[in-house]
Amino acid sequence: MTTNLFFQQVANGLAIGSVYAIFALGYTLIFSILGIINFAHGAVFTLGAYFTFTLTGTAFGFNGLLAQQKLPFSLWFPLALLGGALLAGLISVIIERLAFRPLRRRGADSLLTLVSSLGLAVAIVNIIQFLVGAEAYSYPSSALNDILTPFLFLFPDGKVPLALRVPLTEPPIIVRMVQVVIFATSIFILIALTYLINGTKVGKAMRAVAEDATTSSLLGISTDRLIQFTFFLSGFVGGIAGVLVGMSVGITGPYFGIAFGLKGLAVIVLGGLGSIPGAVLGGLVIGLGEALVPAEYIGYKDAVAFAVLFIVLLIRPQGLLGRVFIQKV
Amino acid sequence: MSQTTPALELKNLSVAYGAIRALNDLNLTVDKGEIVTLIGANGAGKSTTLRAISRIVNPSQGQILIDGQDVTRQPPDAIVRMGIAHVPEGRRVLARQTVEDNLFLGAYVRNDNKAAIQGDIHKQYERFPRLRERRTQLAGTLSGGEQQMLAIARALMSRPRILLLDEPSLGLAPLIVREIFSIIRELNREGVTILLVEQNAQLALQTASRGYVLEAGDCTISGPASELARDERVRKAYLG
């Protein structure tokens, strides 16, 4: 691998890895509070992408119940993104109500909740297909320009270039602008979430519920409401992740989020279950690992994520930054 | 008997864990400004009583009244808002958060401004100077006695009128126990009503004005603490 290619792939790996990280954060938030993986998170990611597409006022394709339909209005892309993420958060709250809360009330085994969330994910994916068909969609070409509105002054002709040339090596590294947006948004979300969890009242309460739900109740923290808020947050961030990937490679169909769902599992197990810095590190390691697979073995790219996971777990069963759980008898 | 409404009243309260009855038909009152104690052996239903009052377990039967108001069906956060704070058995501090954040979360239900809450945190530091020294430490690194102090201070942060204390002496050195109990009496003098669950019956009866003895979920004897301390059955079973 030449130096140029190496740095090129590092840039690609950081962009995709940062999406893995914020996707996995959705898992992590819920896992740290409930100790359960929300298998419907991949579907929420998909919905975020589709909702945003809908809100841009673009017409759907030729298949499905909503064929050729579009909204009577069209939102400026950043607003559509915000709306799509909010709706994804709302769906996530509904998922909690349908697939999690009833089972929690009955004290069901967490394995059952896992299955019920998986069932809901399958239902959501099929509803999407029923409504808008299985074809790929892409966002309006103005999306990138719109999202970078506050930074337009940086570009001489007031238009965002599709790619930046970073002259670190010869020939220069080409970084697609959308990758810059993905990376920057992900970092922003990570910082905002870290602040929320460590620096605000609701974040401290979330950590309290995660550590000891009963004691939190004794302090007057409504655990149900906190769990609901956590699902909203997870869905909101997951929705944004869906839109970011949609901007980069298009919305590839209703199964869009499923591959991320599996990759996200590898990410959180690698980073350490329930650890936020772990999810970030795990996402970046897997993103970089995939990107650095030599071109002739590109077909084995997905195997790399799981091979990395396998090796790390042999050495550190609790994941890179995971806590060792001591079972007290 | 006083004619005023009791601060806390339990009427025919029963709790069952599945098929196991943990508490049978308990009738108990705590008047404003009193210290009342529940004594009894392990598994007699003392902690269950407190957990039912805080609504983290569901009573199968009976009523819980705070200032005459039925709260049996209220959620746990409503109970805290009504002025009841619970110091759970085994302290249950939030080990992964700092001492100060534990105190801050104790004020979770309060809606007043940050300055008032900061002011109360400083009051707790004055009452428990050792917590001030450890304010930035994770609560899990504190000693048992310090954790008990933190658990009490955290409960006080909600400005409770009634404090439920579950085994505050458990696992602590005698010197620390004496310190904790002198603080309990001090809090009571400041006007906090206290329901105290304690295995150390002697200490509990010295501290409280009245007591109830629980045996396998049933209340067998109750009365003024001084009488209970002289009662032959109580002496035999709990005072050695």
Side-chain angles (χ1 to χ4, degrees), chain A residues 201 204-205 207-208 210-212 214-215 217-222 225-226 323, chain B residues 54 56 76-77 80 86 88 92 94-97 101 104-105 108-110 154:
Chain A
K201 184 174 169 182
K204 285 171 186 171
R207 281 163 55 212
E211 183 177 338
D212 184 343
T214 308
T215 300
S217 290
L218 292 180
L219 301 180
I221 298 169
S222 165
R225 236 185 294 160
L226 253 290
R323 244 193 306 273
Chain B
S54 292
I56 50 175
D77 55 307
V80 182
H86 185 152
R92 305 287 285 263
L94 298 164
R96 305 206 293 257
Q97 301 207 40
D101 280 348
F104 178 72
L105 282 171
Y108 186 80
V109 296
R110 284 168 57 181
R154 181 180 67 182

Side-chain angles (χ1 to χ4, degrees), chain A residues 218-232:
Chain A
L218 292 180
L219 301 180
I221 298 169
S222 165
T223 47
D224 274 348
R225 236 185 294 160
L226 253 290
I227 289 171
Q228 210 163 40
F229 177 73
T230 307
F231 269 82
F232 174 78

Side-chain angles (χ1 to χ4, degrees), chain A residues 34-53:
Chain A
L34 293 181
I36 301 173
I37 302 285
N38 171 19
F39 265 123
H41 191 57
V44 172
F45 167 95
T46 309
L47 279 173
Y50 275 91
F51 280 135
T52 301
F53 176 84

Side-chain angles (χ1 to χ4, degrees), chain A residues 50-60 68-77 80 139-140:
Chain A
Y50 275 91
F51 280 135
T52 301
F53 176 84
T54 311
L55 290 172
T56 59
T58 322
F60 294 114
Q68 296 292 75
Q69 303 288 316
K70 60 173 183 170
L71 284 180
F73 59 88
S74 104
L75 288 182
W76 185 50
F77 190 76
Y139 292 121

